[in-house]
Amino acid sequence: MATVKIPGGWSEPKPATPQIQGYADEVKPQVERKIGRNLETYKAVLYAEQVVAGRNYLIKIDTGGPGTSYVHVLLFVTLQNVVEFRDAWDGLGKDSPLEPPKQTTT
């Protein structure tokens, strides 16, 4: 059965590519600042994307070590291919689902 893609919806998680690793590498300093620690290991393993006027990416990063050694990173790539950091979440495990942040209304 084919998967129906919702316009503006998030893709299913898929294995990270060298391009995704490159995007993650560009925002690594902001990720380290946000989570408050330096990351010697920083390997993109999964990602999901959302096509908007540009692309949002949610990336699962393996930071090495046992247990909660994963970080989820949200970034945006503009139509001009400029990578912008949005947010990061620390303390996640290998099996933590790669889910986009919940939308909040103000």
Side-chain angles (χ1 to χ4, degrees):
M1 181 176 195
T3 302
V4 177
K5 194 165 188 175
I6 300 168
W10 286 90
S11 72
E12 291 296 317
K14 44 196 160 193
T17 64
Q19 180 181 29
I20 297 302
Q21 181 67 55
Y23 293 155
D25 289 344
E26 284 194 47
V27 299
K28 183 179 178 186
Q30 294 98 316
V31 171
E32 291 176 328
R33 199 168 320 130
K34 169 74 188 224
I35 67 173
R37 64 185 174 106
N38 292 328
L39 302 170
E40 289 185 32
T41 301
Y42 188 80
K43 182 180 180 209
V45 292
L46 285 176
Y47 77 102
E49 65 184 318
Q50 179 187 43
V51 177
V52 290
R55 289 181 189 260
N56 286 314
Y57 290 95
L58 182 60
I59 306 170
K60 180 179 281 216
I61 307 286
D62 181 354
T63 60
T68 55
S69 59
Y70 289 80
V71 173
H72 289 180
V73 175
L74 180 64
L75 56 86
F76 175 69
V77 179
T78 69
L79 295 173
Q80 294 76 29
N81 212 35
V82 176
V83 179
E84 300 175 356
F85 173 76
R86 295 291 191 230
D87 210 346
W89 300 269
D90 195 13
L92 301 167
K94 181 179 181 180
D95 296 326
S96 296
L98 187 62
E99 297 176 338
K102 304 289 185 241
Q103 296 292 334
T104 58
T105 56
T106 51

